[in-house]
Amino acid sequence: MTEWQTRTPVALIIFNRPSTTEKVFAAVRAAKPPKLFLIADAPRNDRPEDPAKCAAVKAIVEQVDWDCEVFKNYAETNLGCGVRPATGIDWVFEQVEEAIILEDDCLPHPSFFRYCDEMLEYYRDNPRIMTVCGLNIQFGRRRTQDSYYFSRFNHCWGWASWRRAWKHFDYHMKLWPEVKAGGWLTDLLEDDYSVKIWTDVFDKTAADQLNGCWDFQWIFSAWLQGGLAVLPNVNLISNIGFAGDGTHTLAKASEYDNMPLETLEFPLQHPLFIIRDRQADLFTQNTYYDYHPGLTKKVKNKLRRLIKGSLVKQ
């Protein structure tokens, strides 16, 4: 496709990985956003290599050579990979009504930016749609020839949203005890196995036991609003961070490592109705979220046996 200059502000979350950051920033530079928000965490006190790496990353992303307003939100102390992205995204949506969010290891296809531009405009005033995601993990499975489908899962490896949606985000998940006690996940997810998985995930997330997550809180916040995500029917994001130095992408043999990028064709073919693709979501639940994408297959199988065993005993 021809080079596309995005109309949407881009937020780039960075830390200490120059090699991946350089590739992602090159994609952003090609899209030439009118506004660029840079969100950086500070070096960790117990990692002597961090200061040099963090400085190298900042040097890369500050090489803005197109007509662009640049905004920086650099933490003075290390906040961690949960609080830092969450507070950074809060800051972005205090400045603008809508934005594209990329992390330093999420490489977008060039068509990702036009896709986000058009989806943000198309669903701007539709509160049912909470987010626009670039990741497709259906591995070729699709029900229609539409350009995208609707899902309950708002993947965070390259996405876009509106202030109207992000205002519902709650990092501390204050409503989780009430939702859990009332059995509301059963109403939402319908099957006991999925409820067991997500109850465990949300328990650990609310207790801050998942090493600084923020994406599960975003899923929870969207579910509380009955929100849907727009997902493309081809994959527009490749996670290039499965190199052993990421916090949540340690499984180098993961099937989600360096997924091929595909071209989304324009003009977009819009679905004729807004109905969640239950079949696609079931596949995602039983693969990507069973139990956690960063775990090895051996560990996932063990957790699956433990969870299924506890369901049988109930």
Side-chain angles (χ1 to χ4, degrees), residues 259-277:
M259 291 177 59
L261 292 169
E262 303 169 80
T263 301
L264 185 64
E265 299 295 336
F266 295 90
L268 295 178
Q269 183 168 327
H270 299 281
L272 298 177
F273 38 77
I274 302 178
I275 299 177
R276 180 177 70 88
D277 190 333

Side-chain angles (χ1 to χ4, degrees), residues 94-111:
E94 288 170 0
Q95 319 300 318
V96 294
E97 290 286 344
E98 52 199 43
I100 294 169
I101 315 293
L102 286 166
E103 296 187 62
D104 59 6
D105 58 358
C106 298
L107 182 65
H109 188 275
S111 58

